[in-house]
Amino acid sequence: MEVRRLRYLVHLAEHRSFTRAAASLHIAQPALSQQIRLLERELGAALVDRRSTGIALTPVGEIAVAEARQVMDRLDRAERAIRDAVTGQVGRLRIAYTRSAPGGVTAELVDRFREQHPGIELALTTGWTARNIADLRNGSLDAAFVRPPLDIPDLRCDMLTTEELLLAVPAGHELASVRTVRRDQVEDEPVVLWPRENAPGMYDRIANQIWPGSTPRVVREEPDDEQLLRAVADNAGIAPVPAPRARSLRTRGVRLKHLAAPRPTVDLALAYHPETSPALNHFLDLCGQLPGLGGASR
């Protein structure tokens, strides 16, 4: 059974005239009549009662038209859904936050994307940079927020923003009273940091900026910035933390200090597969539209 013949039958039922139905379908009347007869032959029953004054549907024809309308409606919905998927108006996008930037720019991007593309389902997770890259490579993610520098030639990476690193010190520490911390003042200080394997590039960049020519004396490792700041509040040591994250946590017993120029910074980027989907392209376009974002060309 050809779908076009079902569509022809529906048009005929709506117009109750071969002439008017053929005109609406932009085909010749004899061709329409032939197609309806072929449909009747396929079904083994008369669908149309052809009378000199017009046409009427037979009882079987009434049932056939009702079923054909449902088929047409379902096909129309399927076509719209497929077209929406092709243009990225519907679908599913799997994105991972990085633990050091769960809010701020990343949250703003996600909120705006949801507002502008309500038909796209967002599946959001949170991980550290190394884990996010691994999940991108194994196909578990479509995109992930990460902390450069990164050696990922198989993936694309768009820079989003640069954040200042602040130094978190215990409220009772002597550095809590100084306006700006010099690097020589932290050379021998105990440090609380997260494991280097979580983001080796970011870890080394932090160490090279704050402890140039040496290595930080790490006395304790914690999995994320929230735990780092709690450890600082417990006088375990000092900790470098991205300014937006440190300020959003507002941990009691911790003072946030600027380091002397050149002030240390870390970058935030979005990593993704080179073979992008329409939905991901919308997200990438949004990255370049937000004020203050880099929006690197792809």
Side-chain angles (χ1 to χ4, degrees):
M1 187 184 302
E2 294 187 16
V3 171
R4 67 187 176 107
R5 289 173 184 162
L6 295 179
R7 193 178 298 276
Y8 289 170
L9 179 63
V10 170
H11 275 262
L12 183 60
E14 290 173 349
H15 293 282
R16 299 287 171 164
S17 163
F18 277 98
T19 301
R20 292 192 296 271
S24 71
L25 291 166
H26 306 288
I27 63 174
Q29 180 178 331
L32 174 60
S33 180
Q34 181 186 24
Q35 292 300 317
I36 296 299
R37 289 190 182 280
L38 288 173
L39 179 60
E40 290 175 321
R41 189 179 303 167
E42 286 178 339
L43 296 175
L47 305 177
V48 179
D49 181 9
R50 297 164 175 82
R51 298 175 299 180
S52 59
T53 57
I55 67 161
L57 295 173
T58 66
V60 174
E62 294 284 358
I63 295 174
V65 168
E67 294 296 329
R69 283 194 173 114
Q70 291 186 40
V71 172
M72 295 301 103
D73 288 344
R74 185 66 186 90
L75 285 174
D76 289 343
R77 290 198 301 273
E79 183 179 1
R80 288 193 299 270
I82 293 170
R83 290 186 183 278
D84 285 344
V86 170
T87 58
Q89 299 309 309
V90 297
R92 191 168 187 262
L93 199 55
R94 303 162 301 170
I95 299 178
Y97 293 110
T98 179
R99 286 187 174 182
S100 62
V105 167
T106 58
E108 185 177 357
L109 278 168
V110 168
D111 289 346
R112 290 200 184 186
F113 187 82
R114 278 186 168 133
E115 180 182 347
Q116 295 180 17
H117 302 280
I120 298 177
E121 176 193 356
L122 283 179
L124 300 171
T125 58
T126 300
W128 53 87
T129 292
R131 176 178 175 179
N132 287 350
I133 294 300
D135 286 344
L136 275 171
R137 285 175 168 151
N138 67 29
S140 300
L141 293 174
D142 299 304
F145 294 103
V146 293
R147 292 291 192 179
L150 296 164
D151 183 17
I152 48 172
D154 56 321
L155 300 173
R156 299 294 302 272
C157 191
D158 287 356
M159 200 67 62
L160 298 178
T161 190
T162 298
E163 301 170 343
E164 181 184 357
L165 273 174
L166 297 179
L167 195 66
V169 302
H173 196 284
E174 61 180 11
L175 293 178
S177 61
V178 303
R179 185 167 184 175
T180 302
V181 177
R182 302 188 315 272
R183 283 162 178 76
D184 64 285
Q185 293 177 296
V186 300
E187 286 180 353
D188 299 320
E189 288 289 329
V191 178
V192 182
L193 263 176
W194 32 266
R196 182 180 179 276
E197 57 266 25
N198 288 4
M202 179 185 179
Y203 188 103
D204 293 344
R205 175 172 172 172
I206 291 173
N208 291 335
Q209 290 181 95
I210 301 178
W211 293 275
S214 62
T215 56
R217 186 164 67 91
V218 178
V219 297
R220 181 166 161 180
E221 288 187 343
E222 294 290 347
D224 54 41
D225 293 327
E226 187 172 9
Q227 299 302 322
L228 287 185
L229 293 176
R230 288 180 180 175
V232 172
D234 290 340
N235 294 299
I238 62 175
V241 183
R245 182 64 170 152
R247 288 169 175 151
S248 68
L249 291 172
R250 298 182 180 182
T251 306
R252 181 177 298 179
V254 173
R255 298 291 182 268
L256 302 175
K257 313 302 294 185
H258 293 285
L259 281 112
R263 291 183 173 176
T265 61
V266 290
D267 295 327
L268 179 66
L270 184 76
Y272 55 94
H273 294 283
E275 301 80 17
T276 60
S277 66
L280 179 55
N281 283 333
H282 287 312
F283 193 82
L284 296 175
D285 289 341
L286 187 60
C287 289
Q289 295 171 12
L290 286 179
L293 293 187
S297 60
R298 304 193 297 279

